[in-house]
Amino acid sequence: MIRKNYCRTPFVVLLLLSTHILNSIIIYLSLLVLIFSTFQPFIEFINGIKINKMSSLPTFFLAHGGGPMPILAMKTHGELSKFLIELPKTYIPRKPKQIIVISAHWESTSNSAIQISTGHENGELLYDYYGFPPQAYAPHLTYKVNGALELSSNIYNLFKSSSMFENVELVSRGFDHGVFIPLKLMYPEADIPVIQISLIGGLNPTDHVNLGKILSKVREDNNDVLIIGSGMSFHNMRAFGGGSNAMEKSVAFHNYLRKNIETNDTTNMINTLLTWEDGPEARFCHPREEHLIPLHVAAASAGPNANGKMIYDNVLMGVKVASFMFE
């Protein structure tokens, strides 16, 4: 007589069921690995795009107004002051860790020289204007910001290795109003280290485009550095206030800049800056171009595929004035 061991049947069924579940899990995991490996390059590509978009801060050419007037809240500068105050939260995606400013109010002593501020402790300022009330000077108007000696040294080494300049110099110099006026409105806490770089004597457009290209490497290596060209898109001292058909002439040059900077064609944009004198009423708007040339640096420092955008378009002291962002 054969005796059946019925007590083992549930165990066998359970074993078979477990084996089936385990096989299903293995197949499922294998499919996940296959899917992940198939789409991984695409995922990395998408992530790479997001990272690249956030990798560097935009660069700016900012109108800094007449002397200390944006700080003094004079009626002629109310809109410009508001623009500068709101600029960080409107156009700068995160707070910079360091700021580089190229101001219209500092030129090197020769056509082949460039100077870099070491960045002062306690914010020594150059009140390079006159005839204003006491509120425009120390001790009423201060900006006690630290410098960035390491950044100054790194830029110095970049300039030296480029062979572009016969003389590169680190100097001790206070910040002029092209630096501290806009920054006091943008970052009143004065808690971001700042350095300043001079314009190149002679004001050659090509030199300043090349200067911007060198700074673009700084921007690539340090995605939290903010580069600002500080000047004015119109700077004819005799014409401020609207004389000599200044408004009409400023509008012609203003529209020319806008058309060629907002073209989404970097080559055309740079070529326009190199030949800026060909623009309508260019020499009326800039009898001397020291206030325009920081625009060349700002545009070139944004890199070879930069797009420009006019972010301030207003009337200031009887003429059209603009500021631009590049990214």
Side-chain angles (χ1 to χ4, degrees), residues 230-248:
S230 177
M232 292 279 281
S233 61
F234 179 100
H235 198 260
N236 182 334
M237 294 296 290
R238 294 183 178 182
F240 280 122
S244 304
N245 298 319
M247 175 60 82
E248 179 182 349

Side-chain angles (χ1 to χ4, degrees), residues 25 40 45 63 112 124 143 146 166 183 187 231 259 281 299 318:
I25 292 173
Q40 178 66 10
F45 174 73
S112 58
E124 179 187 346
Y143 193 67
N146 289 336
E166 291 182 8
L183 290 186
Y187 298 108
K259 175 184 175 182
E281 305 295 345

Side-chain angles (χ1 to χ4, degrees), residues 14 50 52 100 115 160 191 194 213 239 277 309 316 318:
L14 183 60
K50 293 179 181 177
N52 287 337
I100 301 170
Q115 295 172 302
K160 291 290 276 187
D191 57 352
V194 178
K213 289 178 179 178
E277 290 179 271
K309 179 181 179 182
L316 183 70

Side-chain angles (χ1 to χ4, degrees), residues 207-227:
D207 288 344
H208 290 86
V209 166
N210 289 335
L211 167 57
K213 289 178 179 178
I214 295 174
L215 289 181
S216 72
K217 298 176 182 177
V218 177
R219 182 171 171 266
E220 289 173 6
D221 294 338
N222 184 346
N223 60 15
D224 288 314
V225 68
L226 178 64
I227 298 174

